[in-house]
Amino acid sequence: GCAAAAYVASSVVLIPGELIKQRLQMGMVDSVGGAIKSIWKSEGIGGFFAGSSGVWIRDIPYTMMELGIYDNFKALCLRLRNANNGADEGSSQMDEIISAALAGGITGYVTNPMDLVKTKMMLNPGIYKGFAEAWRRTVQEGGMASLFNGAGARVSYIMPFCTFYLPVYEIIKRKLESRGPIGGSAKSIAVRGGALGAPRRMKQIKAAEEAKKDIVLTQGTGTRSPSSGHPLRSDRCFVSF
Protein backbone atom coordinates (compact mmCIF):
# COMPACT_ATOMS: atom_id res chain seq x y z
CA GLY A 1 0.00 0.00 0.00
CA CYS A 2 2.79 2.45 0.90
CA ALA A 3 4.65 1.56 -2.31
CA ALA A 4 1.51 2.16 -4.38
CA ALA A 5 0.83 5.55 -2.74
CA ALA A 6 4.44 6.65 -3.22
CA TYR A 7 4.32 5.66 -6.88
CA VAL A 8 1.09 7.56 -7.58
CA ALA A 9 2.64 10.68 -6.03
CA SER A 10 5.80 10.38 -8.14
CA SER A 11 3.84 9.73 -11.36
CA VAL A 12 3.35 13.50 -11.77
CA VAL A 13 6.96 13.58 -12.98
CA LEU A 14 7.38 10.00 -14.15
CA ILE A 15 4.55 9.80 -16.69
CA PRO A 16 5.51 12.89 -18.77
CA GLY A 17 9.13 11.72 -18.71
CA GLU A 18 8.16 8.23 -19.87
CA LEU A 19 6.02 9.67 -22.65
CA ILE A 20 8.76 11.95 -23.97
CA LYS A 21 11.38 9.19 -23.74
CA GLN A 22 9.31 6.77 -25.79
CA ARG A 23 8.51 9.30 -28.51
CA LEU A 24 12.20 10.13 -28.77
CA GLN A 25 13.05 6.42 -29.05
CA MET A 26 10.52 5.95 -31.83
CA GLY A 27 11.82 8.98 -33.76
CA MET A 28 8.52 10.84 -33.43
CA VAL A 29 10.33 13.93 -32.10
CA ASP A 30 13.90 15.22 -32.40
CA SER A 31 14.59 16.53 -28.90
CA VAL A 32 13.16 16.88 -25.41
CA GLY A 33 12.38 20.53 -26.04
CA GLY A 34 10.74 19.70 -29.37
CA ALA A 35 8.67 16.99 -27.70
CA ILE A 36 7.42 19.36 -25.00
CA LYS A 37 6.45 22.00 -27.59
CA SER A 38 4.77 19.45 -29.84
CA ILE A 39 2.71 17.85 -27.05
CA TRP A 40 1.69 21.22 -25.59
CA LYS A 41 0.64 22.58 -28.97
CA SER A 42 -1.29 19.56 -30.22
CA GLU A 43 -2.64 17.99 -27.04
CA GLY A 44 -2.41 20.55 -24.27
CA ILE A 45 -1.47 19.81 -20.66
CA GLY A 46 -3.42 16.56 -20.72
CA GLY A 47 -1.19 15.29 -23.51
CA PHE A 48 1.71 14.91 -21.09
CA PHE A 49 -0.34 12.29 -19.24
CA ALA A 50 -1.45 10.24 -22.25
CA GLY A 51 -1.45 6.57 -21.28
CA SER A 52 -1.30 7.38 -17.57
CA SER A 53 -3.77 4.62 -16.73
CA GLY A 54 -1.48 2.14 -18.46
CA VAL A 55 1.52 3.35 -16.45
CA TRP A 56 -0.39 3.00 -13.18
CA ILE A 57 -1.77 -0.43 -14.07
CA ARG A 58 1.77 -1.55 -14.92
CA ASP A 59 3.85 0.04 -12.20
CA ILE A 60 1.67 -0.15 -9.09
CA PRO A 61 1.42 -3.97 -9.28
CA TYR A 62 5.08 -4.10 -10.34
CA THR A 63 6.27 -2.15 -7.28
CA MET A 64 4.15 -4.17 -4.86
CA MET A 65 5.08 -7.53 -6.43
CA GLU A 66 8.79 -6.72 -6.63
CA LEU A 67 9.17 -5.94 -2.93
CA GLY A 68 6.85 -8.75 -1.82
CA ILE A 69 8.58 -11.42 -3.92
CA TYR A 70 12.00 -10.15 -2.84
CA ASP A 71 11.14 -10.37 0.87
CA ASN A 72 9.64 -13.85 0.48
CA PHE A 73 12.60 -15.22 -1.49
CA LYS A 74 15.00 -13.71 1.03
CA ALA A 75 13.12 -15.37 3.89
CA LEU A 76 13.14 -18.69 2.00
CA CYS A 77 16.91 -18.49 1.38
CA LEU A 78 17.44 -17.75 5.06
CA ARG A 79 15.32 -20.71 6.21
CA LEU A 80 17.05 -23.13 3.83
CA ARG A 81 20.53 -21.98 4.81
CA ASN A 82 19.81 -22.09 8.54
CA ALA A 83 18.21 -25.53 8.18
CA ASN A 84 21.32 -26.85 6.42
CA ASN A 85 23.78 -25.21 8.83
CA GLY A 86 21.76 -25.85 11.97
CA ALA A 87 22.30 -22.23 12.95
CA ASP A 88 20.19 -19.14 13.41
CA GLU A 89 21.84 -16.46 11.32
CA GLY A 90 20.71 -13.35 9.46
CA SER A 91 20.45 -12.94 5.70
CA SER A 92 23.72 -12.94 3.78
CA GLN A 93 24.66 -10.68 0.89
CA MET A 94 24.31 -13.65 -1.46
CA ASP A 95 20.76 -14.30 -0.21
CA GLU A 96 19.87 -10.72 -1.08
CA ILE A 97 21.49 -10.85 -4.53
CA ILE A 98 19.75 -14.11 -5.50
CA SER A 99 16.39 -12.93 -4.14
CA ALA A 100 16.67 -9.59 -5.93
CA ALA A 101 17.52 -11.23 -9.27
CA LEU A 102 14.60 -13.66 -9.02
CA ALA A 103 12.19 -10.93 -7.93
CA GLY A 104 13.21 -8.69 -10.83
CA GLY A 105 12.98 -11.45 -13.42
CA ILE A 106 9.57 -12.73 -12.29
CA THR A 107 8.04 -9.30 -11.84
CA GLY A 108 9.38 -7.99 -15.14
CA TYR A 109 7.95 -10.94 -17.06
CA VAL A 110 4.54 -10.96 -15.35
CA THR A 111 4.02 -7.22 -15.93
CA ASN A 112 5.11 -7.28 -19.59
CA PRO A 113 1.52 -7.30 -20.95
CA MET A 114 0.74 -4.11 -19.03
CA ASP A 115 3.97 -2.54 -20.27
CA LEU A 116 3.15 -3.44 -23.88
CA VAL A 117 -0.36 -1.96 -23.71
CA LYS A 118 0.95 1.15 -21.93
CA THR A 119 3.48 1.71 -24.73
CA LYS A 120 0.80 1.48 -27.41
CA MET A 121 -1.35 3.99 -25.54
CA MET A 122 1.51 6.48 -25.20
CA LEU A 123 2.66 6.23 -28.81
CA ASN A 124 -0.86 6.30 -30.27
CA PRO A 125 -2.92 8.51 -27.94
CA GLY A 126 -5.76 9.07 -30.41
CA ILE A 127 -6.36 5.44 -31.34
CA TYR A 128 -7.37 3.88 -28.02
CA LYS A 129 -10.06 5.15 -25.69
CA GLY A 130 -8.53 3.51 -22.66
CA PHE A 131 -6.47 0.65 -21.28
CA ALA A 132 -9.24 -1.93 -21.68
CA GLU A 133 -9.72 -1.19 -25.37
CA ALA A 134 -5.98 -1.21 -26.05
CA TRP A 135 -5.70 -4.60 -24.31
CA ARG A 136 -8.69 -6.03 -26.21
CA ARG A 137 -7.47 -4.89 -29.61
CA THR A 138 -3.95 -6.19 -28.93
CA VAL A 139 -5.35 -9.65 -28.15
CA GLN A 140 -7.65 -9.55 -31.18
CA GLU A 141 -4.82 -8.65 -33.53
CA GLY A 142 -2.10 -10.95 -32.22
CA GLY A 143 -3.59 -13.34 -29.68
CA MET A 144 -2.71 -13.70 -26.01
CA ALA A 145 0.90 -14.56 -26.87
CA SER A 146 1.37 -11.09 -28.37
CA LEU A 147 1.03 -9.57 -24.90
CA PHE A 148 4.46 -11.00 -24.10
CA ASN A 149 6.24 -9.52 -27.11
CA GLY A 150 9.47 -8.00 -25.85
CA ALA A 151 9.30 -9.84 -22.52
CA GLY A 152 12.85 -11.13 -22.92
CA ALA A 153 14.20 -7.60 -23.42
CA ARG A 154 12.21 -6.33 -20.42
CA VAL A 155 13.50 -9.08 -18.14
CA SER A 156 17.07 -8.62 -19.42
CA TYR A 157 17.27 -5.07 -18.05
CA ILE A 158 15.00 -5.33 -14.99
CA MET A 159 16.78 -8.39 -13.55
CA PRO A 160 20.26 -6.77 -13.46
CA PHE A 161 18.73 -3.52 -12.20
CA CYS A 162 17.08 -5.27 -9.24
CA THR A 163 20.22 -7.33 -8.59
CA PHE A 164 22.10 -4.09 -7.89
CA TYR A 165 19.34 -1.87 -6.55
CA LEU A 166 17.86 -4.00 -3.75
CA PRO A 167 21.13 -5.35 -2.24
CA VAL A 168 22.70 -1.86 -2.34
CA TYR A 169 19.61 -0.56 -0.53
CA GLU A 170 20.10 -3.25 2.14
CA ILE A 171 23.79 -2.35 2.55
CA ILE A 172 23.08 1.34 3.01
CA LYS A 173 20.23 0.62 5.44
CA ARG A 174 22.48 -1.61 7.59
CA LYS A 175 25.21 1.05 7.61
CA LEU A 176 22.79 3.70 8.82
CA GLU A 177 21.25 1.40 11.45
CA SER A 178 24.68 0.35 12.75
CA ARG A 179 25.48 3.96 13.63
CA GLY A 180 22.71 3.98 16.21
CA PRO A 181 21.14 7.12 17.65
CA ILE A 182 23.37 10.18 17.48
CA GLY A 183 24.45 11.04 21.01
CA GLY A 184 22.06 8.41 22.40
CA SER A 185 19.32 11.00 22.97
CA ALA A 186 15.64 10.13 23.03
CA LYS A 187 15.02 12.73 20.34
CA SER A 188 17.46 11.07 17.92
CA ILE A 189 15.83 7.68 18.54
CA ALA A 190 12.43 9.15 17.73
CA VAL A 191 13.71 10.62 14.47
CA ARG A 192 14.84 7.15 13.36
CA GLY A 193 11.16 6.18 13.25
CA GLY A 194 10.50 8.81 10.58
CA ALA A 195 9.23 12.36 10.78
CA LEU A 196 5.58 11.33 10.96
CA GLY A 197 6.23 8.69 13.62
CA ALA A 198 8.46 10.87 15.81
CA PRO A 199 5.75 12.30 18.13
CA ARG A 200 4.33 8.85 18.90
CA ARG A 201 7.81 7.42 19.44
CA MET A 202 8.73 10.27 21.76
CA LYS A 203 5.66 9.48 23.88
CA GLN A 204 6.72 5.81 24.03
CA ILE A 205 10.23 6.75 25.08
CA LYS A 206 8.94 9.12 27.75
CA ALA A 207 6.60 6.42 29.08
CA ALA A 208 9.48 3.95 29.19
CA GLU A 209 11.68 6.39 31.10
CA GLU A 210 8.90 7.05 33.63
CA ALA A 211 8.33 3.32 34.05
CA LYS A 212 12.03 2.82 34.77
CA LYS A 213 11.90 5.53 37.43
CA ASP A 214 8.90 3.81 39.03
CA ILE A 215 10.77 0.52 39.06
CA VAL A 216 13.75 2.09 40.82
CA LEU A 217 11.52 3.70 43.44
CA THR A 218 9.36 0.64 44.12
CA GLN A 219 11.76 -2.24 43.49
CA GLY A 220 11.95 -4.53 46.48
CA THR A 221 9.23 -2.70 48.43
CA GLY A 222 6.18 -4.36 46.91
CA THR A 223 4.48 -0.94 46.69
CA ARG A 224 2.31 0.12 43.82
CA SER A 225 3.22 2.61 41.15
CA PRO A 226 0.99 5.71 41.20
CA SER A 227 0.86 5.71 37.40
CA SER A 228 -0.30 2.13 36.95
CA GLY A 229 -1.95 1.09 40.23
CA HIS A 230 -0.29 -2.33 40.04
CA PRO A 231 2.80 -3.80 41.67
CA LEU A 232 5.79 -3.22 39.47
CA ARG A 233 8.41 -5.83 38.80
CA SER A 234 11.38 -5.15 36.59
CA ASP A 235 11.07 -8.47 34.77
CA ARG A 236 7.50 -7.71 33.63
CA CYS A 237 7.72 -4.05 32.69
CA PHE A 238 8.59 -3.38 29.07
CA VAL A 239 7.74 -1.12 26.14
CA SER A 240 7.91 -2.28 22.55
CA PHE A 241 9.22 0.03 19.85
Side-chain angles (χ1 to χ4, degrees):
C2 295
Y7 180 80
V8 171
S10 66
S11 65
V12 175
V13 175
L14 179 72
I15 292 175
E18 179 87 358
L19 179 71
I20 292 169
K21 179 203 72 174
Q22 290 193 342
R23 294 191 180 184
L24 281 167
Q25 289 175 335
M26 297 300 295
M28 299 171 67
V29 291
D30 297 326
S31 64
V32 173
I36 294 172
K37 290 179 182 178
S38 173
I39 294 170
W40 179 264
K41 184 177 180 180
S42 61
E43 303 169 50
I45 187 67
F48 290 99
F49 296 92
S52 58
S53 61
V55 177
W56 290 333
I57 291 171
R58 176 198 68 176
D59 286 351
I60 290 175
Y62 170 86
T63 304
M64 297 170 70
M65 287 174 59
E66 177 192 61
L67 298 177
I69 292 173
Y70 170 69
D71 284 340
N72 279 281
F73 269 122
K74 190 170 67 169
L76 177 61
C77 288
L78 180 61
R79 284 197 301 269
L80 292 174
R81 185 160 51 80
N82 286 343
N84 292 333
N85 298 341
D88 186 13
E89 302 175 353
S91 297
S92 69
Q93 191 72 63
M94 186 56 65
D95 292 339
E96 293 164 358
I97 291 172
I98 293 171
S99 301
L102 291 172
I106 293 171
T107 309
Y109 184 81
V110 170
T111 57
N112 191 79
M114 287 80 90
D115 182 57
L116 179 74
V117 173
K118 180 272 308 176
T119 301
K120 288 188 173 187
M121 292 175 67
M122 283 189 158
L123 296 180
N124 306 285
I127 295 179
Y128 307 107
K129 294 180 180 178
F131 186 88
E133 183 186 356
W135 181 287
R136 178 178 56 79
R137 289 178 60 175
T138 299
V139 173
Q140 285 179 344
E141 293 167 5
M144 288 295 293
S146 66
L147 292 172
F148 290 91
N149 290 342
R154 179 169 168 78
V155 171
S156 69
Y157 82 83
I158 289 181
M159 182 179 282
F161 166 74
C162 288
T163 303
F164 283 97
Y165 150 62
L166 290 169
V168 169
Y169 164 79
E170 297 278 12
I171 292 171
I172 295 173
K173 184 175 74 171
R174 282 194 293 269
K175 291 288 186 183
L176 292 174
E177 289 176 344
S178 66
R179 293 181 180 180
I182 301 172
S185 66
K187 184 177 180 181
S188 65
I189 296 173
V191 171
R192 292 179 64 195
L196 295 178
R200 180 175 62 83
R201 187 168 288 268
M202 284 293 292
K203 290 180 180 178
Q204 291 177 327
I205 294 168
K206 187 176 180 180
E209 291 174 347
E210 290 177 354
K212 289 178 182 177
K213 291 177 182 178
D214 287 343
I215 292 171
V216 173
L217 293 173
T218 61
Q219 191 173 27
T221 66
T223 59
R224 294 174 180 268
S225 165
S227 61
S228 66
H230 295 283
L232 287 173
R233 289 181 54 190
S234 59
D235 60 340
R236 292 187 180 180
C237 189
F238 64 92
V239 176
S240 61
F241 291 93

